[in-house]
Amino acid sequence: MVMKRREFLKGFGAATTAAIAVPYALSSTAADSSVEILLNEPIGTVNPNIYSHFVEHLGGVVYDGIWVGEKSKIPNIGGIRKSLVDSLAKLKPGVIRYPGGCFADQYDWRDGIGPRDKRPSRVNFWADTTYKAPKSYRDIQTGPQKYEPNWFGTDEFIKLCRLTGAQPYLAANLRSFGVGDFMQWLEYCNAPAGQTTLSNQRAANGSKDAFNVSFWGVGNESWGCGGEFTPEEYATEYRKYTAWLPTYGTKLQLIGAGPNGGDLGWTRKFFTKLTEKGMGQLNRMYGWALHYYCHTTGKGDASVYDENEWYDLLARSDRMDSLVREHWQVMGEIDREHKVKLVVDEWGAWHWQDADMPPAYLYAYAGTLRDALISGINLDTFQRHADKVVMANPAQLVNTIHSLFHTYEDKFIETPNYHVFEMYMPHAGATAIRAEFVSPEVSFSRFDAQRKESKHEFWGLNGSASVNGKTVTLTAVNPDARSPRETEINLRGATITGAKARVLSSTDIRAKNSFANPNGLVPRDEAVTLGTGGRLVYRFAPASVTRLTLTIA
Ligand code: AHR
């Protein structure tokens, strides 16, 4: 939780700021901020699937972000880009969601299995729909982004998962196919070889071993591209799709197509209708998928922005915190035991694509320091809500929207988002603990489409903490473009015996990596000196994401 510095002063009185035993008091005169880490207030285990990913047949994600083909000169493993596999595996990814997104509700899984030269070609969902496509996409004339060749399908996707150590999460087509098709995909993936026609087909296609896919999405954005359903209609479909499914010995974790951002009505009406047939229906849902993208007015440029636009987007990304709280509360009105958890399987900052990207690479940009802070803000949010959020997937893995990688033919770079994921890894599987941040706020102006100005304030320091054995990990974002946050860090319940820092920051708020300069923005390690008795005052750099690793006794 973030406390404003002046609320804190009001609450305890100016004289108490120097007192020793009063919570949240600053005993350092230099410090303008404080963090109280409350070791004895666990929130829950940070589900490693909070560090998950999303791959859709959209723009340059699959072709050529992931799939380069077996005959390519680009180093590959059975057609899958090797540099991406190596880099992603280092992050120990939770799950990878596939094949969409909107694409999923127009996809026939049968198109993407078996000999590649026999697979059909279709028009990609993103290249030709009655939806008013963005200008850039109307420019696509040909290529795999327009005429989907199905070179990459279920077989290749499972291979990607196996190569990187991720679990698969498949999204079923609810809009243009039926329950039978979903059940057959399930059979193809999970039935033991030698037992059914489809599992034999899978074995003939190269995998005797069942894929054991546990996570299945029941449609995607069913309020929009996934069928334009009402929540009540979708609840009826959901019941139908999830009734009496064969498991083939794999526990199915079914995920419902949840709300578009703050649409609490979608959540409330869905849960009300679903449980009309009894509360037992809740046992058929593992997660409720919330989607939220932040963007400035008119989406905006990925790498050209001023300080106001910097703060504006960071503040908009922070809306995730209230979305999690609000949807959780509404779910709890019906699901009183909170059997169903939140899955945020699309999140990130959505800009227009960089001008130097091929038109077919829809929403491709290399990402900047601003996107990195947005990664930190979102991951910290999920960790603070470790009791509610069991999976989160930025959209998307490579070459689109909030990506971790950027590729073009033989060129490959890790974006600043990648580095934040790497920095936050120690949280995965650890126990999230309460941390209270107090700091001065930052102010900024927001301009609407008519350039009308409004004034806003945003927190000056926020983050999350977790404990794993004798290590406490504190991650934090300082959004202030110019000022550091001199911060007193107090650990309640143990003594800090050692500390080190890893920092992603730059004096240029537009810093990024590019093909020409792949290490333009990478984290640096810093030594941290403790005061007597383990006292820790740390200066969070301006415009930064920081991980503090604290050894405790
Ligand atoms: O991630 C891009 C698109 O955004 C997805 O296909 C869709 O689910 C969402 O609207």
Side-chain angles (χ1 to χ4, degrees), residues 108-267:
D108 185 347
W109 66 270
R110 293 175 193 84
D111 290 350
I113 57 167
R116 273 189 287 280
D117 57 351
K118 304 245 167 3
R119 296 187 190 176
S121 171
R122 314 267 183 215
V123 175
N124 183 293
F125 167 89
W126 286 97
D128 187 18
T129 74
T130 48
Y131 166 73
K132 196 171 161 290
K135 186 181 168 300
S136 59
Y137 221 53
R138 290 199 298 265
D139 295 342
I140 304 178
Q141 301 299 324
T142 189
Q145 287 85 10
K146 175 142 188 176
Y147 298 110
E148 171 59 59
N150 286 297
W151 296 324
F152 188 91
T154 305
D155 297 339
E156 291 76 17
F157 169 66
I158 295 294
K159 188 162 186 186
L160 171 71
C161 291
R162 287 176 173 165
L163 288 169
T164 57
Q167 286 192 72
Y169 164 15
L170 293 171
N173 180 338
L174 185 110
R175 172 166 69 87
S176 51
F177 282 117
V179 183
D181 301 274
F182 172 35
M183 285 168 68
Q184 288 187 357
W185 199 6
L186 199 52
E187 180 188 327
Y188 180 81
C189 291
N190 290 0
Q195 301 301 318
T196 76
T197 302
L198 287 171
S199 64
N200 286 342
Q201 201 176 339
R202 182 193 68 230
N205 291 341
S207 189
K208 199 161 174 294
D209 291 341
F211 295 157
N212 298 326
V213 180
S214 179
F215 296 106
W216 291 87
V218 183
N220 167 72
E221 298 195 349
S222 303
W223 40 263
C225 64
E228 300 283 359
F229 291 102
T230 66
E232 290 85 359
E233 288 165 347
Y234 176 61
T236 306
E237 290 295 310
Y238 188 90
R239 280 206 300 260
K240 197 168 79 179
Y241 265 73
T242 58
W244 303 92
L245 290 172
T247 70
Y248 305 107
T250 295
K251 186 175 179 205
L252 298 181
Q253 321 228 57
L254 303 167
I255 296 170
N260 180 15
D263 186 356
L264 298 179
W266 178 264
T267 295

Side-chain angles (χ1 to χ4, degrees), residues 256-367:
N260 180 15
D263 186 356
L264 298 179
W266 178 264
T267 295
R268 184 174 284 116
K269 289 175 190 165
F270 172 87
F271 276 86
T272 306
K273 184 74 182 174
L274 181 77
T275 52
E276 263 179 11
K277 195 141 187 317
M279 298 309 271
Q281 295 296 321
L282 295 169
N283 298 330
R284 297 198 179 133
M285 183 178 285
Y286 169 74
W288 182 235
L290 161 68
H291 289 183
Y292 174 61
Y293 293 94
C294 61
H295 53 81
T296 48
T297 311
K299 281 211 165 72
D301 198 289
S303 48
V304 181
Y305 44 81
D306 59 23
E307 264 184 36
N308 277 318
E309 290 164 322
W310 158 272
Y311 290 123
D312 187 7
L313 196 61
L314 298 182
R316 287 174 195 261
S317 79
D318 191 49
R319 187 165 169 236
M320 185 62 84
D321 189 87
S322 55
L323 291 176
V324 167
R325 288 174 197 277
E326 288 163 13
H327 285 288
W328 185 253
Q329 199 228 312
V330 171
M331 288 156 72
E333 290 169 9
I334 297 131
D335 177 14
R336 300 213 173 260
E337 293 166 41
H338 278 300
K339 285 186 177 153
V340 181
K341 308 292 185 204
L342 275 166
V343 161
V344 187
D345 60 15
E346 289 187 30
W347 65 268
W350 194 327
H351 320 285
W352 293 120
Q353 74 196 78
D354 281 346
D356 59 352
M357 281 288 103
Y361 283 34
L362 185 59
Y363 308 121
Y365 38 86

